[in-house]
Amino acid sequence: MSTPARRRLMRDFKRLQEDPPAGVSGAPTDNNIMVWNAVIFGPHDTPFEDGTFKLTIEFTEEYPNKPPTVRFVSKMFHPNVYADGSICLDILQNRWSPTYDVSAILTSIQSLLDEPNPNSPANNIAAQMYQENVREYEKKVKVVVEESWIYIGDLQVS
Amino acid sequence: MAEADSGFNYDPTKNYDDQICAQQRDIEKQITDEQSLVSNILSFDVLKTEYQDDQVFQNKIQDIKSRYKHMRKTRGDGNCFFRAFGFAYLEHLLKDDSDFPRFKEVASKSKDELVSLGFPQFTIEDFHDTFMEVIDKVGNKISYEEFFQLYTDQGISDYFVVYLRLIVSGHLQKEEDFFMNFVEGGRTVKEFCNQEVEPMHKESDHIHITALTAALGVTIRVEYMDRGDSDKCNQHDFPDGSKPDIFLLYRPGHYDILYP
């Protein structure tokens, strides 16, 4: 059945393939256009460099009028990412605009990695460390970068 | 102690966003179940029943009744101004197409204007396509029943509303020097658009109406039915001094359609 959400997701996918933004990729899962898997590569010259972070994106029939739910599946250490992988990012909540597509969502999350917003912390330890002890913060980030390589599909939430 | 009494212990490591969203979804679902996007034609008796024990509103309903024949309600989902505007104006064009060629030209040009203002072409196109499809159908003189069905299809109707929001956002940004004087809270016009205009379900104010009527060259009269002392509703024409194409009824937080 073609609904506006599904039609739009097909367009988003086509655009992502034809005009892929640097450092992110995403595709619908095999049997469900409403659930996507995505990968964000840690941006160069940041502590997240070389990380290959996996995410899931779940859309509702209200997309693009409502934002999808985006979660990191790979373990993440970041001031704006909760322990369950969900992300505190204004454009995914109250500042969502229907003009965003999957490409814009993923590049925004990619920018968030190196530009955290310590004022709305989802992970207090990470937020505090980011402000008070950058070296320790970077060490912790390095650990999740390395863990992102050996991810083998364990969905268990720590 | 207070926390224990309320039975709720805030855990700062937990993510409450999902719960808040779920609660919001429940409220939205209730509204969706109870109110149609746009109602059939109604008599003012429905308002009288709503404000049974309220003399201020009863007087004002009487005033409206003396000047208008009937009304149509829209769903109270935060999009009511845009939804009412789109319905009332397209219905107006179905009855009187003298303004159609002008409106169609403004509507089709609007996409390139938005793109030149920096809106992403890819997504703008998606909304603009649907927007123009609806307008073309009205231009092809579909029947009222077909129009009603088209405009109350949630997917199509929401796309139409989104595009009207984008037009408002574009106009506010284009005329930033003027509108920056009306933006509250120390925000830039761009921030205001990101927070109060583009997201669905954000309610509309004077500034949205001013921008939309200016951008599309459509005129509106709004009748304000509020707690003010007068026995009559205040009215305001957008733009000032124009002859209105369509008529809307404002009650605090909500817009419906009026028919003279």
Side-chain angles (χ1 to χ4, degrees):
Chain A
M1 190 179 65
S2 176
T3 60
R6 286 160 199 269
R7 201 185 62 216
R8 171 60 190 274
L9 285 168
M10 289 304 289
R11 288 186 59 162
D12 279 20
F13 183 43
K14 195 157 165 260
R15 176 165 184 238
L16 209 51
Q17 286 177 310
E18 285 169 1
D19 183 17
V24 303
S25 74
T29 50
D30 283 343
N31 45 20
N32 190 356
I33 184 112
M34 307 302 280
V35 180
W36 289 39
N37 291 320
V39 177
I40 291 178
F41 299 94
H44 292 302
D45 302 320
T46 77
F48 293 91
E49 180 164 5
D50 295 332
T52 53
F53 303 104
K54 288 153 199 80
L55 305 95
T56 56
I57 316 176
E58 285 179 45
F59 301 89
T60 66
E61 289 291 348
E62 286 172 281
Y63 180 77
N65 302 325
K66 289 268 183 72
T69 306
V70 189
R71 270 176 220 276
F72 277 100
V73 180
S74 301
K75 199 159 189 265
M76 181 46 75
F77 185 79
H78 187 281
N80 306 112
V81 179
Y82 288 98
D84 67 355
S86 52
I87 302 161
C88 185
L89 177 61
D90 55 1
I91 71 148
L92 291 177
Q93 277 117 21
N94 53 359
R95 290 200 198 181
W96 169 256
S97 161
T99 61
Y100 299 135
D101 63 350
V102 175
S103 184
I105 294 168
L106 291 175
T107 46
S108 299
I109 296 172
Q110 189 188 35
S111 320
L112 179 73
L113 286 183
D114 195 43
E115 293 157 21
N117 175 7
N119 297 324
S120 58
N123 177 337
N124 283 317
I125 297 170
Q128 201 176 355
M129 241 183 230
Y130 174 75
Q131 285 173 308
E132 291 168 9
N133 191 345
V134 180
R135 281 175 66 97
E136 201 58 31
Y137 174 77
E138 288 181 354
K139 258 197 223 164
K140 287 278 217 175
V141 170
K142 197 77 202 146
V143 174
V144 294
V145 166
E146 282 168 21
E147 280 182 30
S148 76
W149 306 330
I150 53 164
Y151 169 81
I152 47 162
D154 182 3
L155 281 172
Q156 208 180 335
V157 176
S158 58
Chain B
M1 277 305 277
E3 276 177 352
D5 288 340
S6 70
F8 175 76
N9 287 298
Y10 176 69
D11 177 352
T13 64
K14 268 199 179 154
N15 175 6
Y16 290 101
D17 292 355
D18 286 351
Q19 287 175 29
I20 294 167
C21 288
Q23 191 181 16
Q24 201 173 348
R25 272 197 301 275
D26 286 345
I27 297 169
E28 283 167 10
K29 189 173 177 305
Q30 202 184 343
I31 292 173
T32 307
D33 291 346
E34 287 170 5
Q35 307 173 3
S36 47
L37 281 178
V38 181
S39 79
N40 290 317
I41 294 274
L42 300 169
S43 85
F44 293 110
D45 294 344
V46 293
L47 290 186
K48 284 194 160 175
T49 339
E50 267 180 60
Y51 296 100
Q52 252 168 16
D53 302 320
D54 192 321
Q55 201 47 50
V56 179
F57 272 84
Q58 290 296 340
N59 292 343
K60 290 186 178 177
I61 294 166
Q62 206 51 44
D63 168 45
I64 286 291
K65 219 177 149 179
S66 71
R67 291 183 289 122
Y68 293 89
K69 288 198 191 74
H70 35 240
M71 67 177 294
R72 206 188 275 278
K73 285 191 171 186
T74 62
R75 184 182 291 166
D77 62 359
N79 297 315
C80 52
F81 165 69
F82 291 102
R83 192 98 60 196
F85 170 88
F87 190 96
Y89 186 63
L90 293 176
E91 194 186 25
H92 165 81
L93 289 180
L94 269 183
K95 290 178 193 151
D96 171 6
D97 63 2
S98 55
D99 194 33
F100 186 81
R102 183 203 64 81
F103 178 69
K104 190 181 167 177
E105 199 186 335
V106 172
S108 37
K109 274 189 187 159
S110 62
K111 183 188 83 181
D112 292 339
E113 275 178 32
L114 288 174
V115 172
S116 72
L117 282 164
F119 284 83
Q121 174 150 14
F122 168 75
T123 46
I124 291 294
E125 232 161 46
D126 188 35
F127 296 110
H128 187 251
D129 287 351
T130 302
F131 188 69
M132 292 312 293
E133 269 170 40
V134 175
I135 290 170
D136 281 334
K137 284 192 176 153
V138 168
N140 292 333
K141 294 270 164 208
I142 53 171
S143 69
Y144 165 77
E145 287 72 23
E146 284 171 289
F147 166 67
F148 187 84
Q149 203 176 11
L150 183 71
Y151 199 85
T152 50
D153 175 301
Q154 178 103 41
I156 293 170
S157 199
D158 282 352
Y159 259 50
F160 201 88
V161 166
V162 167
Y163 196 74
L164 291 176
R165 288 180 174 279
L166 296 173
I167 287 175
V168 168
S169 175
H171 187 80
L172 292 174
Q173 293 181 57
K174 198 168 78 180
E175 307 292 335
E176 188 183 356
D177 291 346
F178 174 70
F179 284 108
M180 61 188 286
N181 303 306
F182 303 95
V183 169
E184 290 164 1
R187 293 175 282 184
T188 66
V189 169
K190 174 92 180 136
E191 281 169 340
F192 178 79
C193 289
N194 288 342
Q195 293 165 18
E196 309 290 345
V197 182
E198 289 178 32
M200 286 291 270
H201 309 296
K202 289 284 182 177
E203 287 179 13
S204 299
D205 226 322
H206 237 70
I207 184 169
H208 300 74
I209 308 180
T210 306
L212 187 64
T213 49
L216 293 178
V218 173
T219 53
I220 309 180
R221 171 167 295 169
V222 181
E223 298 278 355
Y224 290 89
M225 189 181 279
D226 55 27
R227 300 239 115 251
D229 277 341
S230 160
D231 283 350
K232 297 194 170 8
C233 294
N234 287 319
Q235 43 184 249
H236 191 94
D237 293 342
F238 297 86
D240 236 343
S242 60
K243 179 181 168 294
D245 296 320
I246 58 172
F247 301 82
L248 302 181
L249 172 65
Y250 174 84
R251 287 176 288 153
H254 189 67
Y255 292 87
D256 292 309
I257 304 169
L258 288 171
Y259 295 90

